[in-house]
Amino acid sequence: MFVQQLEPMADSLGLSALVATLPLLTVLILLGVVRMKAHHAGLIGLAVAALVAWLGYGMPAGQTLSAAAQGVLFGLFPIMWIVVNALWVYRMTVRTQHFDILRRSFGRLSDDPRIQALVIAFCFGALLEALAGFGAPVAICAVMLVALGFDPVRGAVVALVANTAPVAFGAMGTPVVTLAQVTGLPLDSVASVVGRQTPLLALVVPLVLVGLVDGRRGLRETWVPALACGAAFAVAQFAASNYLSVQLADIVAALAGAAALVALPHARRPATESVRVAVLTGARSEDLDETDPRREVLRAYAPYALIVAVFSIGQIPAVKDQLVKATRVFDWPFLDVAAPGGQPVSGNTFSLPLVATGGTLVLLAGLLTAAVLGVHARVAVREWAATVHELRFAILTVTSVLALAYVMNLSGQAATIGHFVAAAGAGLAFLSPVLGWFGVAVSGSDTSANALFGALQVTAAQQSGLSPELLAAANSSGGVLGKMISPQNLTIACAAVGLKGQEGDLLRKVLPWSLALLLVMCLIVVLQSTVVLGWMLP
């Protein structure tokens, strides 16, 4: 049995914490300073974590490798299993041209560019984040806005800022699922707290978007639909994450926000010519005037309806119980780790949810989508393989980062850092979202930031007397605000709208909003750690 040590370096917590941060510093410096590709940085960081665990913490080499292997498996299943199948569904809609039909349908909902920004960047972007994540919403929504006549810079900025509130529950809840796994906290508890933080962002972001599109006039004339959209999104995200399903949180919220806009007469008023001339300064796509058969429009919306239906059925208690029966729980081979107190850690066992996982349910919805859209079985399989190939570097990045996180957690490195950080005391509540924000700003992924910092947030909370669920959730909720300034997302946005090499210009435009919203989130977490907003926590 390997027993974790908190102070393996000269019996000094400070020196041990400094050594324990080497894997994290390696990854962050390689990404943020050297600008190395994420999968290379992740692999090098993993190697450093393994060396620190073996040489610094005395973890046997075999157990170190076993811990890394467990992280790799979790990265593949269920994490990337969800992402691959979700992106596969999207690729089938593109192949059958039903995605273009959907884009034209959105364009016909309103001719007001401010409302179009809310429908496409905020609502549809949230739906794409729910299904795929990993930069897809920014690229797709930016392209759609430019096709409607938005200036490329404005379209990219709107898409980047909109990609905030849904990120924590993106890719079928992947970030919070990862957070629960690496911290050992119950998924429902973590998701419940995140669902009481990010909805508050959803109230603000739509107002920011109409301001970005049309300045003060946009706020003055469209604050009602913006607030209605944000409120509907916020309520639905809170309700779904707390009482329905983590995987459905963003899907339900996106549909609720869009429904609020469609139902509001104010949002359907034609835009004045002065607004359209001032905002739509780019070239408009010629195919927007095409009329699509009603049957094809319904088929374009079908994949998202099928996903909602499959996940909803999966939440029925009797069905859920049957799905859970396929889950396999077993002792992880070559791993026998005890906490400093001598009690075995939860990582000694591994749970493999073969059916009761978001990826398998999305796969089922994808098979139904292929049938509805008329995609031949051979073509569907080819698209699935192409999706895996497209995501090969993302798969390598996620698995290496999670392997790094597992090695740090099981060797005791994360616990050492957490005990050292706990010295910040009450200030932890303010700094916790900042740590998540920094992690996402560098890595471009809330999932990666949660894997890297989730466990040390929990350890620090336990040592300082704060709620572990609160600080773990704050890591994810603060992280979503770093996504708009991450090099990965900036590059994706520039490439999508033809602004290659202008990442710096976009960064200067979105950075103030990222910092302002981060400050709001920090204040929310601080107040939730006190009696002022403590009643919000479950």
Side-chain angles (χ1 to χ4, degrees):
M1 176 179 288
F2 165 69
V3 180
Q4 295 173 346
Q5 302 177 65
L6 292 178
E7 303 175 357
M9 304 297 168
D11 294 326
S12 169
L13 182 62
L15 181 59
S16 299
L18 180 62
V19 173
T21 59
L22 289 178
L24 298 177
L25 290 174
T26 299
V27 173
L28 298 178
I29 290 173
L30 291 178
L31 286 173
V33 179
V34 182
R35 299 296 178 89
M36 183 180 287
K37 291 182 178 178
H39 56 283
H40 290 154
L43 289 171
I44 294 173
L46 170 59
V48 174
L51 287 173
V52 171
W54 178 38
L55 300 176
Y57 279 72
M59 190 178 195
Q63 296 211 46
T64 301
L65 294 175
S66 181
Q70 186 176 150
V72 169
L73 179 57
F74 180 70
L76 291 173
F77 195 97
I79 300 305
M80 293 310 297
W81 178 239
I82 298 171
V83 178
V84 167
N85 290 324
L87 196 57
W88 172 55
V89 174
Y90 162 70
R91 284 180 64 98
M92 286 193 290
T93 67
V94 172
R95 184 179 182 89
T96 60
Q97 299 184 336
H98 283 89
F99 180 76
D100 292 329
I101 295 173
L102 192 67
R103 173 171 57 84
R104 289 192 289 269
S105 175
F106 288 154
R108 288 190 288 267
L109 289 176
S110 172
D111 70 345
D112 189 327
R114 300 163 300 189
I115 303 302
Q116 290 172 342
L118 293 177
V119 172
I120 293 173
F122 188 69
C123 297
F124 187 58
L127 190 59
L128 290 172
E129 183 67 38
L131 297 179
F134 291 86
V138 170
I140 295 167
C141 293
V143 168
M144 293 178 76
L145 291 173
V146 171
L148 291 172
F150 277 68
D151 171 74
V153 172
R154 182 176 291 170
V157 169
V158 168
L160 284 166
V161 174
N163 191 219
T164 49
V167 169
F169 295 105
M172 295 299 174
T174 295
V176 291
V177 170
T178 302
L179 185 61
Q181 181 70 18
V182 299
T183 59
L185 298 173
L187 175 59
D188 290 344
S189 299
V190 174
S192 178
V193 179
V194 175
R196 295 161 194 248
Q197 293 173 342
T198 56
L200 299 177
L201 288 178
L203 293 172
V204 179
V205 172
L207 295 170
V208 173
L209 294 180
V210 296
L212 287 171
V213 172
D214 195 30
R216 293 181 179 177
R217 178 177 59 183
L219 281 170
R220 185 174 62 252
E221 295 181 359
T222 55
W223 70 269
V224 173
L227 193 58
C229 175
F233 186 102
V235 171
Q237 191 183 58
F238 161 74
S241 61
N242 278 267
Y243 306 113
L244 180 59
S245 165
V246 172
Q247 289 87 355
L248 285 177
D250 277 349
I251 294 178
V252 173
L255 296 176
L261 284 174
V262 172
L264 200 66
H266 192 108
R268 298 198 301 272
R269 293 176 187 171
T272 62
E273 191 59 29
S274 61
V275 170
R276 292 182 59 79
V277 169
V279 176
L280 302 180
T281 54
R284 186 173 179 270
S285 179
E286 296 179 358
D287 72 343
L288 289 175
D289 297 325
E290 290 184 19
T291 302
D292 298 302
R294 182 178 179 82
R295 179 171 179 270
E296 295 304 315
V297 174
L298 291 175
R299 292 176 74 189
Y301 283 92
Y304 311 104
L306 287 170
I307 289 175
V308 173
V310 168
F311 272 86
S312 298
I313 293 173
Q315 296 306 308
I316 298 174
V319 177
K320 192 172 184 178
D321 290 342
Q322 291 299 316
L323 297 179
V324 170
K325 287 182 179 179
T327 299
R328 296 290 177 263
V329 179
F330 54 91
D331 292 332
W332 188 257
F334 310 111
L335 196 65
D336 188 8
V337 179
Q343 66 275 23
V345 299
S346 60
N348 291 330
T349 60
F350 190 80
S351 177
L352 194 64
L354 298 174
V355 181
T357 181
T360 303
L361 296 179
V362 175
L363 176 64
L364 176 58
L367 295 174
L368 296 174
T369 294
V372 171
L373 299 185
V375 180
H376 191 278
R378 186 167 52 252
V379 175
V381 171
R382 195 158 53 237
E383 285 296 324
W384 193 90
T387 303
V388 174
H389 183 264
E390 180 183 339
L391 290 172
R392 63 192 185 282
F393 294 125
I395 293 172
L396 187 55
T397 299
V398 169
T399 52
S400 61
V401 168
L402 280 164
L404 179 156
Y406 269 64
V407 170
M408 289 190 65
N409 294 345
L410 289 170
S411 66
Q413 296 173 58
T416 297
I417 300 172
H419 279 72
F420 182 77
V421 172
L428 268 176
F430 186 87
L431 295 175
S432 186
V434 177
L435 188 59
W437 173 85
F438 181 72
V440 177
V442 173
S443 69
S445 167
D446 200 35
T447 299
S448 296
N450 286 344
L452 291 173
F453 301 130
L456 69 88
Q457 294 264 24
V458 168
T459 302
Q462 291 170 339
Q463 294 301 308
S464 60
L466 294 171
S467 164
E469 290 82 4
L470 175 63
L471 293 201
N475 192 84
S476 191
S477 299
V480 306
L481 300 169
K483 194 155 189 180
M484 69 177 82
I485 63 169
S486 69
Q488 172 184 310
N489 258 24
L490 291 170
T491 301
I492 288 172
C494 285
V497 298
L499 296 174
K500 189 174 182 179
Q502 298 185 41
E503 289 86 355
D505 295 334
L506 285 185
L507 176 60
R508 284 190 289 273
K509 290 182 179 295
V510 300
L511 181 58
W513 294 110
S514 178
L515 293 174
L517 292 172
L518 175 63
L519 178 60
V520 171
M521 181 53 65
C522 289
L523 294 175
I524 289 171
V525 174
V526 168
L527 294 176
Q528 286 181 333
S529 69
T530 67
V531 294
V532 178
L533 291 182
W535 53 268
M536 290 183 64
L537 301 181

